[in-house]
Amino acid sequence: MGSSSETAVERNQKSSAGGVALTEEEVAARQMLASASEEAMRRARDHLLALQSSEGWWKGELQTNVTMDAEDMLLREFLGIREPRRTGLSANWIRSQQHDDGSWTNFEGGTANLSTTVEAYVALRLAGDSPDAEHMRRAAAFIREAGGLDSVRVFTHVWLALFGLYPWSKIPALPPELIFLPARFPLNVYDFACWARQTIVALTVVWAYRPVRRIELTLDELKGGVAARPRPVARRGWPALLERLDRALHIYERRPIRWLRRLALERVERWIVQRQEADGSWGGIQPPWVYSLIALHLRGYPTEHPVMKTALEGIDRFTIKEDGLCRLEACQSPVWDTALATVALSDTGLPGDHPALVRAADWLLDEEVRLRGDWSVRRPELEPGGWAFEFANDNYPDLDDTAEVILALRRVAHPDMDRLEQAIERGVRWTMGMQSSSGGWGAFDADNARELCRELPFCDFGEVIDPPSADVTAHVLEMLPGEGLAGHRAALRGVDWLIREQEPDGSWFGRWGVNHVYGTGAALPALVAAGVDRSDPSIRRAVEWLSAHQNADGGWGEDPRSYEDPAWIGRGHSTASQTAWALLALHAAGERSEVVERGLAWLVATQRPDGRWDEPWYTGPGFPCDYYINYHLYRLVFPLMALGRLTGAR
């Protein structure tokens, strides 16, 4: 990586411009940039160290959209526990996020979203906002113009149906008998990604009961306007077959087989209860959490029941209250954030035995998952190991976190190295065993790629399967060489898979970060670590793509709209996290060009005095095209990594 006595910027004085001698002014400018970069690194490092908890972890807020808050209000109304103070705080937050055209969006700077707007509107009506209020009239006008209630997603229809505001008969069927399909049968519950699986299983109970809790409001003001576009009728293939199946299931629901329905509901109930996490959540994420609460409520669980009480207390711990506002995190990321922070601090030259790194390693070691979760359905012989994303998610460890935690633990001189080595060994073994047959790695499951799941009429709420992705595979491939496994067949197959996934323009698609900047930022360091020569065409094409997509100000940015509109690929406001991803990739590829200097200068110039960077833009997709996250710690840890590596601290 280079020594601390000669920074990357200083080395560039010797190697740039094809050996052309630099002027005194150019040398002075580069020396100033080197000095400013080191100072920026120190400020960022100090700020990150100050954010560590006494237990050793880091956690930044995961900011999403107002559907979290609207659905929390609707959930509490359905359970009969909604109270005025929380309602008022949530309503304040929802109002604060409304746009001038009356709509709500799913990310900063995004386009208006009809389903999000409808859910926000209904929640505000429930909170007491008059439909005649100016902000409500603007929202209603947008909803009518955008197609009205018939045009929203299935999840929104379910929330409306719970209160008699939309007919259950118009919602695709989801019978609880689905739980009986064997694991090898198409469309069984394990064909769905874990986040969709838990949500769908809980919703089968809701569908079976199809409850209605009448409330004292109507939505007559949303009728009229532009009619919803009729859904195209599939005439052939799987879509047509699944539409006919949905019609048949609706007929079955008129007179289900009673004994079979009873057994199905009992099994689903057990399935849900068995998967509740210690913090009260299901999978550590909002959708299965709220629907599991509704499902168990329908099965007769009172709110005082330990399962329900723990779940509701857990939601309170995911709630942020400040400045008269209340907003809900859809998820929390302490394991991921702690691993990234550990790597970033190490990149700045912090010694491996520094107390902050040792405390972080202690906490991460305690978070190792040693239980068999749903992943074992596809890999029954594999011993457990690895890490999850959240404080408590033993049922669903993931490959991304596991790879990053191992990379982090390798930076720490821990006093109990035997314990650390054993945890890493288990994590590596589990990771290699979770490789999909294609050679890549998905996030939570192996070979979870049945695309038929996407065709179900019910599944319009985002990605519902978990196929291998370039970014997760890249992080695994970045980790394996450090364990002496660069030449292992699993790593070689992974490299082949990753190179095959490269886009014609030289970039990689980003599944868990926005978007091609993230995918490319992950792939380049991985391929270089795995032994691919920096002169390889795949590396050079990626470097060219990153260089061509640098913004005029020197930074990099990519708007989430790139998932839907190719014109946005590699385009967007410069952000600290995305600029850092690009710089980390270029550094790994051996670049010491003016492109790198301009990116580094952008980071230095945009840093706040306290060491942070402002970043209102969302750079994390939960579900591409449908749901996005602003990871508040990304704007600090990734720039710190880039500054550390580019200044030669490591």
Side-chain angles (χ1 to χ4, degrees), residues 485-512:
L485 295 168
H488 192 281
R489 183 172 180 269
L492 296 176
R493 291 178 64 230
V495 168
D496 288 343
W497 183 91
L498 187 57
I499 290 176
R500 291 197 307 271
E501 287 295 303
Q502 189 173 23
E503 301 289 336
D505 63 8
S507 68
W508 277 268
F509 175 85
R511 167 60 182 89
W512 296 99

Side-chain angles (χ1 to χ4, degrees), residues 36 53 75-76 83 92 180 210 287 337 365 399 457 493-494 497 504 507 520-521 567 590 619 636 640:
S53 74
L75 168 70
R76 292 171 188 276
E83 49 87 20
N92 289 344
F180 291 129
R210 297 188 291 285
D337 287 345
L365 289 170
L399 283 305
R493 291 178 64 230
W497 183 91
S507 68
T520 309
T619 63
L636 180 59
L640 187 55

